[in-house]
Amino acid sequence: MIMIMNIVQALQNSAIVLAIVFAASSASHSRIGFDKYHNHEEMTNYLKEITEEFPNISSLYSIGKSVLKRELWAVKLTTATEMLGVPNIKIVGNIHGNEPVGREIILHLVQYLLDNNSKNEAINNLLRTTVIHLLPSMNPDGFELSAPQPCPNDGMHMSGSRANANTFDLNRNFPDIFNPNLVPRQPETKAIIGWLKSIPFVMSLSLHGGALVANFPYDGSSDSVPGKLQKLNETLKTANMFELYKKFLNDSSYNHNNNNMESLTPDDDVFRFLAKQYAGLHPTMHNGLSCEDDYLKFKDGITNGAAWYQVIGSMQDYNYVWHGCLEITLEMSCCKYPPASFLKSHWEDHLKPLLTWMQQAHRGIKGVVTNRITGKPIPNAIISLKDRENYINTTVNGEYWKILLPGVYKLSVKATGYDEKIVRVKVPEVRENQKQGPRPQLVNVQLEPTNKKTIADSSSTASTYFNAASIIILTVIHITYFMVL
């Protein structure tokens, strides 16, 4: 923890932050303003226009459709010409329909990055070395059913449509490692799952509203109350949630006290670093007082998801467990859906942390795993660290990325048909005058094909010899028999 604090402090005082923000001027002319929230038609037109204006840097594509058949638009930004080894990152907004601040911030981020590519060295470098995917709205149907609310409020005002058009909470709709998630998969959820399967994302942000905190995995726990309720209802089979919860509280076989119980990932040090760095660069998030609620305090402006409240089927847990993508959930504003007059200040508060977060895709190590004999890439090789109980797989091109803090690690690389290889890796400190941000250590690994014959191979060979010998013996017997006759 002390090491993480020192690294974050160094970054705050270094030119890494200053270089990004702020030689770049504001956009030469604004295609989108802060005076309103943009509905789906307006958002679609804007994204088409700006990507057509910058065809060599950006492209617009859809990852799927919502329940009401609205396109789930994503913008891809990069100037990289050689894609091998270039990391992909993503930012997803408007998961909950009535939390659209992140939606508008992403729309402005698209414009900011495109306009400043030719003006700002750090942004130019970011786009040359990274593929950035920006999805402004995961829940366009829910957004269209919501409207701004007066501020300030308690941050948890539930007006508008949090859920999708089928009334499902999309941040409770993903497969879960701790408890079976029996909720029907929604079109928007399926689209995100397909997206993750098609692109090897390294990092991700999920943008929410209603608090001011950086939340990191796990959201779920093997000892979570939602999991216990689900298990209890396998017996009771009741649709009355109040009755179910009452039964749960009266059942002494369950441990009801799980407040402040953290549920930590093997990469907890990296998650805490990313969350603390973001909160530390935000003007007020790092203060740890979320929206003037005295009862709700987050030390340093960060929280483990399960320690705040536990859920089944969160998107950030799914990203990490199923795809090795380090996703953080950002609560960006005290009001879930503030008036548009708040948007400009939210944009200014989050721009610096967003840009710095994107640079962290280049922290740690990356490389390509190949066959030592043929030199061909090895897809689906298993990459893990000896002291961490999780792994990632190489891409179809044999690529991998692993975000790590400074230190010495033992990297294990193995694949079917190859001998395991252990590599000692040292990740250096990031120099304070390194204006372009962190740079990954290149750790290419060659695996030796396994030469040992398996038991099955030996049995097969022995069987072949046995069959051949049998044929010879039977032939001799046959000839001898007819000679006797």
Side-chain angles (χ1 to χ4, degrees):
M1 183 61 69
I2 293 174
M3 180 180 71
I4 294 175
M5 292 175 64
N6 291 339
I7 294 171
V8 172
Q9 186 63 46
L11 279 170
Q12 288 176 323
N13 296 331
S14 71
I16 295 175
V17 173
L18 299 178
I20 305 176
V21 195
F22 278 33
S25 61
S26 59
S28 55
H29 63 283
S30 179
R31 302 162 193 79
I32 190 169
F34 293 102
D35 58 326
K36 60 177 291 186
Y37 288 91
H38 298 82
N39 64 31
H40 189 73
E41 182 180 358
E42 292 167 335
M43 179 181 72
T44 299
N45 292 336
Y46 160 73
L47 293 176
K48 286 181 177 179
E49 288 172 5
I50 197 166
T51 51
E52 288 172 1
E53 184 178 348
F54 294 89
N56 296 327
I57 305 175
S58 64
S59 59
L60 180 65
Y61 65 101
S62 173
I63 69 166
K65 293 186 177 183
S66 68
V67 172
L68 299 180
K69 305 304 180 184
R70 292 185 172 98
E71 299 287 354
L72 303 180
W73 294 118
V75 176
K76 177 181 176 181
L77 303 173
T78 189
T79 59
T81 54
E82 172 54 59
M83 301 306 296
L84 186 68
V86 178
N88 288 267
I89 63 176
K90 63 182 172 72
I91 304 178
V92 180
N94 202 196
I95 295 86
H96 293 140
N98 62 346
E99 299 174 11
V101 170
R103 171 190 175 111
E104 293 297 316
I105 283 179
I106 289 177
L107 295 179
H108 284 277
L109 185 60
V110 171
Q111 176 174 269
Y112 183 89
L113 291 172
L114 291 174
D115 279 337
N116 285 292
N117 174 56
S118 60
K119 304 173 186 177
N120 184 303
E121 181 184 353
I123 291 175
N124 179 271
N125 182 73
L126 181 67
L127 290 173
R128 279 191 295 105
T129 58
T130 320
V131 183
I132 303 168
H133 302 257
L134 303 174
L135 193 152
S137 183
M138 179 182 167
N139 187 4
D141 297 347
F143 172 81
E144 298 293 334
L145 297 171
S146 304
Q149 299 299 315
C151 281
N153 62 28
D154 61 5
M156 301 306 289
H157 194 54
M158 299 301 288
S159 67
S161 181
R162 172 185 177 90
N164 72 345
N166 285 338
T167 69
F168 285 99
D169 187 329
L170 297 178
N171 202 34
R172 309 289 188 274
N173 198 234
F174 287 85
D176 191 279
I177 188 175
F178 298 108
N179 298 282
N181 191 356
L182 307 178
V183 179
R185 298 283 178 268
Q186 296 302 295
E188 299 89 346
T189 308
K190 291 178 181 178
I192 294 290
I193 290 174
W195 199 25
L196 279 156
K197 289 179 179 178
S198 66
I199 299 173
F201 290 110
V202 178
M203 296 197 318
S204 177
L205 289 178
S206 171
L207 308 185
H208 292 255
L212 201 59
V213 65
N215 175 329
F216 55 91
Y218 291 119
D219 283 324
S221 165
S222 57
D223 195 42
S224 69
V225 168
K228 293 171 183 175
L229 290 170
Q230 183 170 281
K231 185 176 181 180
L232 179 61
N233 204 31
E234 290 174 3
T235 303
L236 296 179
K237 300 186 184 304
T238 177
N240 188 327
M241 291 298 103
F242 291 103
E243 178 185 346
L244 177 63
Y245 193 65
K246 184 178 178 181
K247 293 274 189 183
F248 167 73
L249 291 177
N250 292 329
D251 192 332
S252 60
S253 66
Y254 288 101
N255 173 21
H256 303 115
N257 183 19
N258 70 339
N259 293 332
N260 301 316
M261 290 178 61
E262 292 187 327
S263 181
L264 306 181
T265 70
D267 288 304
D268 185 63
D269 60 335
V270 178
F271 274 118
R272 287 182 188 273
F273 168 78
L274 294 172
K276 193 169 184 179
Q277 182 189 66
Y278 193 101
L281 292 172
H282 187 278
T284 57
M285 187 183 291
H286 65 276
N287 293 331
L289 294 176
S290 182
C291 307
E292 301 179 359
D293 291 334
D294 291 337
Y295 69 91
L296 193 59
K297 297 181 180 180
F298 302 109
K299 183 174 175 12
D300 300 319
I302 70 174
T303 184
N304 172 257
W308 185 9
Y309 61 91
Q310 298 178 357
V311 301
I312 294 175
S314 79
M315 187 162 71
Q316 71 175 7
D317 282 10
Y318 174 79
N319 269 261
Y320 178 69
V321 174
W322 268 263
H323 299 281
C325 176
L326 303 185
E327 178 165 290
I328 288 176
T329 299
L330 291 177
E331 300 285 349
M332 307 186 80
S333 58
C334 289
C335 293
K336 285 181 173 290
Y337 199 152
S341 58
F342 284 66
L343 288 174
K344 187 174 183 180
S345 63
H346 286 316
W347 161 251
E348 292 170 349
D349 288 348
H350 285 281
L351 177 58
K352 186 188 297 185
L354 281 171
L355 294 174
T356 305
W357 172 83
M358 286 189 274
Q359 284 191 325
Q360 305 315 303
H362 301 282
R363 179 176 292 279
I365 61 175
K366 72 173 185 177
V368 178
V369 179
T370 56
N371 182 313
R372 191 192 68 80
I373 307 299
T374 66
K376 292 183 178 180
I378 302 175
N380 292 317
I382 298 173
I383 310 291
S384 62
L385 298 178
K386 279 301 183 181
D387 60 343
R388 303 192 184 204
E389 296 178 0
N390 73 318
Y391 65 90
I392 54 175
N393 293 106
T394 55
T395 68
V396 292
N397 297 315
E399 308 154 287
Y400 76 91
W401 300 264
K402 184 67 178 175
I403 300 175
L404 296 170
L405 301 185
V408 177
Y409 303 88
K410 286 185 178 180
L411 188 72
S412 167
V413 185
K414 53 188 176 182
T416 303
Y418 295 87
D419 295 333
E420 180 182 9
K421 190 166 187 177
I422 307 296
V423 182
R424 183 181 181 274
V425 177
K426 182 177 181 180
V427 178
E429 297 281 348
V430 177
R431 299 190 306 273
E432 286 195 22
N433 62 349
Q434 195 169 325
K435 295 183 179 181
Q436 302 302 333
R439 284 290 168 267
Q441 291 289 99
L442 184 62
V443 184
N444 293 329
V445 179
Q446 294 182 326
L447 293 186
E448 189 77 33
T450 302
N451 291 321
K452 299 174 183 178
K453 291 182 179 178
T454 63
I455 294 175
D457 291 336
S458 300
S459 300
S460 176
T461 303
S463 176
T464 301
Y465 287 140
F466 176 79
N467 291 336
S470 299
I471 291 171
I472 293 171
I473 292 170
L474 289 172
T475 302
V476 171
I477 292 172
H478 179 75
I479 294 172
T480 304
Y481 174 78
F482 280 101
M483 287 176 67
V484 170
L485 292 176

